[in-house]
Amino acid sequence: MLNILYFARLRETFAMEKESLNVPATATVAGLLIELRARGGVWADALGVDKRWRVAVNQNMAEIDTPLKSGDEVAIFPPVTGG
Amino acid sequence: MSTIRVQTADFNIEDELALVRSNPSVGAVTSFIGLVRDINDGSGVTSLTLEHYPAMTERALANIVHEAETRWRILHTTVIHRVGELKPTDQIVLVLTASAHRGDAFAACEFMMDYLKTQAPFWKKEQTPSGSHWVDARGSDDAAAERW
């Protein structure tokens, strides 16, 4: 299982802070995003390829081809705006 | 040596400076303080809420400090970032760098702020008279980080 976390605008848009999901067949960030977009509605809209979001795996910034394995913490959030 | 803190409480640059000045090898100190403004993108801001990703925040800041230390001769770095609700004129962030000579301290301080803006997991939500909204990331911040 993956532990998925959502932050900031995405947490509000999805009305969800966290959930557990099986590791996608492709075992990559890209595969997970495809599964989440397949939910349609706000998921497809907010995670669309033309939208701006970032993914961290185990608290490190990740790329679309970053591999995933069971037990990983995957955080999905908007581009950061601190400082 | 480095100090990294994420806190709701305010900070006092004099306290942080005193710590750095206790090292007699330090000949130059540069600091940056970010403040809450009362206007952003044309609308009044009554308060600002800073959310973060606690498990990742300190690691991201430590990575930024480490990167600066590999690029410049730095004797001390301090990064303090506040979270929670803040008001206009409040301090948000402090980045302070100390080195033997000014060049390293100046460059490392600017580098660390540019990286923090695009790499550290903080998000601002502004409260305005017409409601609240999440602040959008700026393309100019990405460009500032990429020049390093």
Side-chain angles (χ1 to χ4, degrees):
Chain A
M1 298 292 278
L2 300 171
N3 300 311
I4 319 282
L5 304 175
Y6 304 105
F7 288 95
R9 178 187 283 138
L10 292 182
R11 171 174 48 76
E12 290 187 353
T13 299
F14 301 150
M16 190 183 291
E17 283 184 28
K18 59 184 175 180
E19 64 179 318
S20 294
L21 291 176
N22 289 319
V23 178
T26 58
T28 61
V29 167
L32 174 64
L33 288 166
I34 288 169
E35 289 192 5
L36 293 174
R37 287 183 198 120
R39 293 173 173 176
V42 293
W43 298 87
D45 186 48
L47 298 175
V49 291
D50 58 334
K51 293 289 162 85
R52 301 193 63 191
W53 35 261
R54 298 287 183 272
V55 179
V57 176
N58 297 328
Q59 302 90 44
N60 286 307
M61 288 290 193
E63 302 295 334
I64 202 78
D65 58 354
T66 298
L68 298 176
K69 63 182 187 312
S70 187
D72 283 347
E73 179 172 285
V74 182
I76 305 177
F77 45 75
V80 302
T81 56
Chain B
M1 189 180 156
S2 66
T3 300
I4 296 172
R5 295 206 305 271
V6 178
Q7 60 191 42
T8 54
D10 199 8
F11 53 81
N12 183 340
I13 190 174
E14 292 294 335
D15 296 341
E16 308 309 322
L17 186 58
L19 183 66
V20 170
R21 289 183 62 193
S22 67
N23 178 350
S25 300
V26 169
V29 179
T30 298
S31 64
F32 172 88
I33 294 177
L35 305 174
V36 181
R37 294 185 303 151
D38 67 354
I39 194 160
N40 188 26
D41 292 334
S43 59
V45 176
T46 53
S47 67
L48 187 70
T49 306
L50 264 151
E51 174 175 330
H52 74 128
Y53 173 10
M56 179 175 173
T57 313
E58 295 208 9
R59 175 182 294 195
L61 295 177
N63 287 344
I64 292 166
V65 168
H66 178 74
E67 184 68 26
E69 286 174 344
T70 62
R71 294 183 185 215
W72 293 281
R73 292 168 181 268
I74 306 295
L75 295 169
H76 187 100
T77 55
T78 299
V79 182
I80 301 175
H81 204 298
R82 296 178 69 193
V83 293
E85 186 169 329
L86 301 173
K87 303 281 189 195
T89 75
D90 281 351
Q91 302 187 114
I92 304 173
V93 60
L94 168 69
V95 170
L96 183 149
T97 54
S99 54
H101 304 286
R102 71 183 184 283
D104 291 302
F106 270 129
C109 187
E110 189 167 19
F111 164 85
M112 288 173 63
M113 264 316 296
D114 284 347
Y115 260 55
L116 187 154
K117 281 274 189 184
T118 60
Q119 300 295 314
F122 295 97
W123 300 275
K124 290 184 183 125
K125 190 177 196 181
E126 291 175 344
Q127 284 78 45
T128 73
S130 58
S132 63
H133 63 268
W134 292 97
V135 174
D136 285 320
R138 295 174 191 272
S140 58
D141 287 335
D142 286 333
E146 280 166 12
R147 69 204 163 104
W148 301 98

